[in-house]
Amino acid sequence: MRRLLLVLLTLVASSDAGAQIIRPGYQLQAPAAWVSLGAALQQSWSVIDGATGSRWEFGNATTYDASLEKTLSGGATFGVRGSTAMVPLRYVGPLVTTEADANVSQLFGTLHVAGGNGFHTVLELSAGATLYSNFRARAGGAKLGPDSPDADFSFAFGYGFGYAFSPAFSIDAVQDVTTALHQKTGLSAGDDSSVRIHGTRIVGRFGLGGH
């Protein structure tokens, strides 16, 4: 009887130990996809627009960001990231100089790489477009040029840090440097049409499904 009891106790202990080993492994499986939501502080920058003969002196602004990404491997995800903001600016044109506001939106295909659990580094490479639209004078709301949305090819590099609270939730802080290439229509050959935009994002990332 004692031997039978010892065998049964050994089997129960082995079963409990096996369950403890399997369960954490299951919980650590990477999500199949990620959704992120966040906000960023975007620093001031200027654009020279030859088509309207104006200069857009944008100020600091808060942008709102979201992304949807598919898990690849090795902590990498690939997907689409977008942002939008109403940005204050000083509009310096050939006929008028005024304080104004404009919509600035960005849409990127992005590769996100995060290194490990807990505290980790974050690296992002993105390419897409920066869209300027809806220029309005702040006093009176008069519409300013351009008459239609103006899209510039853009690419971005992001680097920062994050903390994973679980396999399916983390918070990242990322410093972005975006280069936007504005069209050279109406500019002289020596004019620089590239624009550098700096921003700092705080992002919550939520995992979806099992990988």
Side-chain angles (χ1 to χ4, degrees):
M1 178 65 71
R2 289 181 179 177
R3 289 182 179 178
L4 179 59
L5 288 174
L6 288 173
V7 171
L8 290 174
L9 289 172
T10 301
L11 290 173
V12 170
S14 300
S15 175
D16 289 343
Q20 291 175 1
I21 292 172
I22 292 172
R23 285 170 187 162
Y26 176 78
Q27 292 174 354
L28 290 174
Q29 286 183 331
W34 290 85
V35 169
S36 73
L37 300 171
L41 176 62
Q42 204 166 61
Q43 299 178 21
S44 58
W45 77 101
S46 295
V47 177
I48 299 175
D49 184 61
T52 59
S54 60
R55 185 171 70 252
W56 311 333
E57 300 175 353
F58 290 101
N60 297 339
T62 300
T63 71
Y64 298 95
D65 303 70
S67 74
L68 177 61
E69 303 158 38
K70 178 178 175 57
T71 299
L72 300 177
S73 62
T77 61
F78 181 78
V80 177
R81 175 168 64 87
S83 67
T84 189
M86 177 69 76
V87 184
L89 73 147
R90 185 168 183 262
Y91 186 96
V92 182
L95 301 177
V96 62
T97 296
T98 184
E99 300 300 314
D101 297 288
N103 291 111
V104 180
S105 303
Q106 293 180 316
L107 184 64
F108 292 125
T110 186
L111 174 67
H112 174 101
V113 180
N117 299 314
F119 283 105
H120 55 264
T121 57
V122 176
L123 176 68
E124 290 188 353
L125 298 174
S126 307
T130 298
L131 183 71
Y132 303 98
S133 63
N134 195 29
F135 286 77
R136 297 277 181 176
R138 195 168 301 156
K143 187 175 181 179
L144 306 170
D147 294 329
S148 59
D150 191 329
D152 293 346
F153 173 75
S154 305
F155 55 92
F157 172 78
Y159 181 79
F161 300 92
Y163 185 82
F165 293 88
S166 75
F169 175 65
S170 68
I171 293 180
D172 295 344
V174 182
Q175 177 73 43
D176 291 309
V177 180
T178 302
T179 300
L181 304 179
H182 199 63
Q183 69 271 9
K184 295 183 71 70
T185 303
L187 300 179
S188 62
D191 290 334
D192 186 6
S193 62
S194 65
V195 177
R196 195 67 56 87
I197 306 171
H198 297 264
T200 302
R201 281 182 289 131
I202 303 296
V203 180
R205 292 174 58 80
F206 306 88
L208 304 175
H211 184 52

